[in-house]
Amino acid sequence: MAGKQPNDTEADALMSNLEDGIGSLEDMLKPFLQRPYDQMIDEMDAVTVAKMNVMFAYALNSLYFAFLRTRGQNPNEHPVKKELDRIKEYYQKVKDTSEKNSVPQMKLNVDAANRFINSALKETQPNREEVTESVKENKKEKVSTESKGNKKKSKSVSQKETLESSNKKKQKK
């Protein structure tokens, strides 16, 4: 249509399309316009709020773009075109962020973690049988050394022997 004027029937068709478009836009915006903005965003998560803000900015700038066209100006040479491009970039950033958030994050395999922890604990703790044997040996040595009247020496000797016996048994494994 550039360079030629539309005839009356074409102009009527264009006006009808414009009225239909504005009517459908009003219908789409009605839910957003019925409640205060602050109340509306309190019920949304951050990604949804970002999407809504980008959508509002794009809608307003698109309407201004259309307004410029109705005035006979070239909106491609107007700063509104740069603003629409900038909003498209923001929309892509929000879209990329929401897609990253939708990808499931790593989850802990609880069964595998429990097996790993139990295995590590078993390696660091001596067997109960080894502990009871060393305790019995210590008691015997303690009784024999106490009868000699050297209590302090018997405690240190029994502790050393307990550690040595448990270390020897670990090394055998």
Side-chain angles (χ1 to χ4, degrees):
M1 285 197 192
K4 75 172 195 173
Q5 294 291 327
N7 61 29
D8 288 340
T9 56
E10 290 175 346
D12 288 341
L14 290 173
M15 287 301 293
S16 176
N17 286 341
L18 179 63
E19 288 175 358
D20 292 342
I22 291 173
S24 65
L25 179 65
E26 287 176 347
D27 292 340
M28 284 188 273
L29 292 176
K30 198 175 273 187
F32 297 107
L33 299 174
Q34 290 176 346
R35 296 181 5 201
Y37 178 79
D38 294 337
Q39 185 183 37
M40 198 170 26
I41 65 169
D42 286 342
E43 299 170 0
M44 298 179 186
D45 63 345
V47 174
T48 306
V49 171
K51 284 181 181 179
M52 186 179 70
N53 288 337
V54 170
M55 180 202 62
F56 281 148
Y58 192 80
L60 289 174
N61 282 285
S62 296
L63 286 172
Y64 192 69
F65 187 91
F67 172 74
L68 290 174
R69 290 189 82 174
T70 61
R71 294 291 186 180
Q73 295 180 6
N74 185 359
N76 292 322
E77 297 172 2
H78 195 274
V80 74
K81 177 66 175 159
K82 290 180 185 175
E83 187 66 15
L84 282 169
D85 292 338
R86 188 178 71 86
I87 293 169
K88 286 178 186 177
E89 290 175 18
Y90 278 112
Y91 178 76
Q92 189 61 43
K93 288 179 183 180
V94 170
K95 184 179 175 184
D96 291 344
T97 303
S98 65
E99 288 174 358
K100 286 180 186 176
N101 288 341
S102 66
V103 173
Q105 301 296 320
M106 289 178 39
K107 292 184 180 180
L108 176 65
N109 185 340
V110 177
D111 294 332
N114 285 334
R115 288 191 303 270
F116 180 78
I117 292 169
N118 288 334
S119 173
L121 289 175
K122 286 178 183 175
E123 290 176 6
T124 59
Q125 293 178 347
N127 290 339
R128 287 187 178 203
E129 295 172 4
E130 293 175 359
V131 172
T132 54
E133 287 177 21
S134 63
V135 169
K136 288 178 183 178
E137 290 174 9
N138 289 337
K139 284 182 181 180
K140 288 178 185 177
E141 291 174 6
K142 189 175 181 180
V143 170
S144 65
T145 53
E146 283 180 357
S147 63
K148 295 179 184 176
N150 197 352
K151 292 183 181 179
K152 291 182 182 178
K153 192 174 182 181
S154 68
K155 287 183 181 178
S156 64
V157 169
S158 65
Q159 289 173 350
K160 286 181 185 177
E161 289 177 354
T162 304
L163 289 173
E164 289 174 4
S165 66
S166 64
N167 286 336
K168 287 179 185 177
K169 290 180 182 179
K170 284 183 185 177
Q171 290 175 354
K172 288 180 183 178
K173 289 183 178 181

